[in-house]
Coordinates of all heavy atoms in Angstrom, one line a residue:
Chain A
Y49 N 37.3 -49.6 -18.4 CA 37.8 -50.0 -17.1 C 38.7 -51.2 -17.3 O 39.8 -51.3 -16.7 CB 36.7 -50.4 -16.1 CG 36.0 -49.2 -15.5 CD1 34.7 -49.3 -15.0 CD2 36.6 -47.9 -15.4 CE1 34.0 -48.2 -14.5 CE2 35.9 -46.9 -14.8 CZ 34.6 -47.0 -14.4 OH 34.0 -46.0 -13.8
A52 N 42.1 -50.4 -19.0 CA 43.0 -49.4 -18.5 C 43.9 -49.8 -17.4 O 44.9 -49.2 -17.1 CB 42.2 -48.2 -18.1
C53 N 43.5 -50.9 -16.7 CA 44.3 -51.3 -15.5 C 45.8 -51.5 -15.8 O 46.1 -52.3 -16.7 CB 43.7 -52.6 -14.9 SG 44.6 -53.3 -13.5
V54 N 46.6 -50.9 -15.1 CA 48.1 -51.0 -15.3 C 48.7 -52.0 -14.4 O 50.0 -52.0 -14.3 CB 48.8 -49.6 -15.2 CG1 48.4 -48.7 -16.4 CG2 48.4 -48.9 -13.9
H55 N 48.0 -52.7 -13.7 CA 48.5 -53.8 -12.7 C 49.5 -53.1 -11.8 O 50.6 -53.7 -11.6 CB 49.2 -54.9 -13.6 CG 48.2 -55.8 -14.2 ND1 48.5 -56.7 -15.2 CD2 46.8 -55.8 -14.1 CE1 47.4 -57.3 -15.6 NE2 46.4 -56.7 -15.0
C56 N 49.1 -52.0 -11.2 CA 50.1 -51.4 -10.3 C 49.9 -51.9 -8.9 O 50.8 -51.6 -8.0 CB 49.9 -49.8 -10.3 SG 48.3 -49.4 -9.6
G57 N 48.8 -52.5 -8.6 CA 48.6 -53.2 -7.3 C 48.2 -52.2 -6.2 O 48.1 -52.7 -5.0
Q58 N 48.1 -51.0 -6.4 CA 47.8 -50.0 -5.3 C 46.4 -50.3 -4.7 O 46.2 -50.0 -3.5 CB 47.8 -48.6 -5.8 CG 49.2 -48.2 -6.3 CD 49.3 -46.7 -6.5 OE1 49.2 -45.9 -5.6 NE2 49.5 -46.3 -7.7
C59 N 45.5 -50.8 -5.4 CA 44.2 -51.1 -4.9 C 44.2 -52.1 -3.7 O 43.3 -52.1 -2.9 CB 43.2 -51.5 -6.0 SG 43.9 -52.8 -7.1
A60 N 45.2 -52.9 -3.7 CA 45.3 -53.9 -2.6 C 45.2 -53.2 -1.3 O 44.5 -53.7 -0.4 CB 46.6 -54.7 -2.7
T75 N 43.7 -58.9 -3.9 CA 43.9 -57.6 -4.6 C 42.7 -57.3 -5.5 O 42.4 -58.2 -6.3 CB 45.2 -57.7 -5.4 OG1 46.2 -58.0 -4.5 CG2 45.5 -56.3 -6.1
P76 N 42.1 -56.2 -5.4 CA 40.9 -55.9 -6.2 C 41.1 -56.2 -7.7 O 40.3 -56.9 -8.3 CB 40.6 -54.4 -6.0 CG 41.1 -54.2 -4.6 CD 42.3 -55.1 -4.4
A77 N 42.2 -55.8 -8.3 CA 42.4 -56.0 -9.7 C 42.5 -57.5 -10.1 O 42.0 -57.9 -11.2 CB 43.7 -55.3 -10.2
Y78 N 43.0 -58.3 -9.2 CA 43.1 -59.7 -9.4 C 41.7 -60.4 -9.5 O 41.5 -61.3 -10.2 CB 44.0 -60.4 -8.4 CG 44.3 -61.8 -8.6 CD1 45.1 -62.1 -9.7 CD2 43.7 -62.8 -7.9 CE1 45.4 -63.5 -9.9 CE2 44.0 -64.2 -8.1 CZ 44.9 -64.5 -9.2 OH 45.2 -65.8 -9.4
L80 N 39.3 -59.5 -11.0 CA 38.7 -59.3 -12.3 C 39.3 -60.2 -13.4 O 38.9 -60.1 -14.5 CB 38.7 -57.8 -12.7 CG 38.2 -56.8 -11.7 CD1 38.4 -55.4 -12.2 CD2 36.7 -57.1 -11.4
C124 N 38.4 -49.2 -3.2 CA 39.6 -49.3 -4.1 C 39.6 -48.2 -5.2 O 40.6 -47.9 -5.7 CB 39.8 -50.7 -4.7 SG 38.2 -51.4 -5.3
I127 N 41.8 -45.1 -4.5 CA 43.3 -45.1 -4.7 C 43.7 -45.4 -6.1 O 44.8 -45.0 -6.6 CB 44.0 -46.1 -3.7 CG1 45.5 -46.0 -3.9 CG2 43.5 -47.5 -3.9 CD1 46.1 -44.7 -3.6
C128 N 42.8 -46.0 -6.9 CA 43.3 -46.4 -8.3 C 43.7 -45.2 -9.1 O 42.9 -44.3 -9.3 CB 42.1 -47.1 -9.0 SG 42.6 -47.5 -10.7
P129 N 44.9 -45.2 -9.5 CA 45.4 -44.0 -10.3 C 44.6 -43.9 -11.6 O 44.6 -42.8 -12.2 CB 46.9 -44.3 -10.5 CG 47.1 -45.7 -10.3 CD 46.0 -46.2 -9.4
M130 N 44.1 -45.0 -12.1 CA 43.3 -44.9 -13.4 C 41.8 -44.5 -13.1 O 41.0 -44.3 -14.0 CB 43.3 -46.3 -14.1 CG 44.7 -46.7 -14.6 SD 45.3 -45.5 -15.8 CE 46.8 -45.0 -15.0
G131 N 41.5 -44.5 -11.8 CA 40.1 -44.2 -11.4 C 39.1 -45.3 -11.8 O 37.9 -45.1 -12.1
I132 N 39.6 -46.6 -11.8 CA 38.7 -47.7 -12.2 C 37.8 -48.1 -11.1 O 38.2 -48.2 -9.9 CB 39.6 -48.9 -12.6 CG1 40.5 -48.6 -13.8 CG2 38.7 -50.2 -12.9 CD1 41.5 -49.6 -14.1
D133 N 36.5 -48.2 -11.4 CA 35.5 -48.5 -10.4 C 35.3 -50.0 -10.3 O 34.4 -50.6 -11.0 CB 34.2 -47.8 -10.6 CG 33.3 -47.8 -9.4 OD1 33.8 -47.6 -8.3 OD2 32.1 -48.0 -9.6
I134 N 36.1 -50.7 -9.6 CA 36.1 -52.2 -9.5 C 34.7 -52.7 -9.1 O 34.2 -53.7 -9.6 CB 37.1 -52.7 -8.4 CG1 38.5 -52.2 -8.8 CG2 37.0 -54.1 -8.2 CD1 39.4 -53.1 -9.6
Chain B
V152 N 52.0 -58.9 -4.4 CA 50.8 -58.5 -5.1 C 51.1 -58.2 -6.5 O 50.4 -58.7 -7.4 CB 50.2 -57.2 -4.4 CG1 49.2 -56.5 -5.3 CG2 49.5 -57.5 -3.1
L153 N 52.2 -57.5 -6.8 CA 52.5 -57.1 -8.2 C 52.9 -58.4 -8.9 O 52.6 -58.5 -10.1 CB 53.6 -56.1 -8.2 CG 53.1 -54.7 -7.8 CD1 54.2 -53.7 -7.7 CD2 52.1 -54.3 -8.8
L156 N 49.8 -60.1 -10.1 CA 49.1 -59.3 -11.1 C 49.8 -59.3 -12.5 O 49.2 -59.2 -13.5 CB 48.9 -57.9 -10.7 CG 47.9 -57.6 -9.5 CD1 47.8 -56.1 -9.3 CD2 46.5 -58.1 -9.9
Ligands
SF4_30 S1 44.9 -49.6 -8.6 FE1 43.7 -49.5 -10.5 S2 45.2 -49.7 -12.1 FE2 46.3 -50.3 -10.2 S3 46.0 -52.5 -10.2 FE3 44.3 -51.7 -9.1 S4 42.6 -51.5 -10.6 FE4 44.6 -51.7 -11.7

Side-chain angles (χ1 to χ4, degrees):
Chain A
Y49 284 157
C53 174
V54 287
H55 290 169
C56 70
Q58 294 192 68
C59 46
T75 303
Y78 187 69
L80 308 179
C124 46
I127 182 60
C128 175
M130 296 295 121
I132 296 169
D133 195 43
I134 301 267
Chain B
V152 164
L153 286 176
L156 288 182

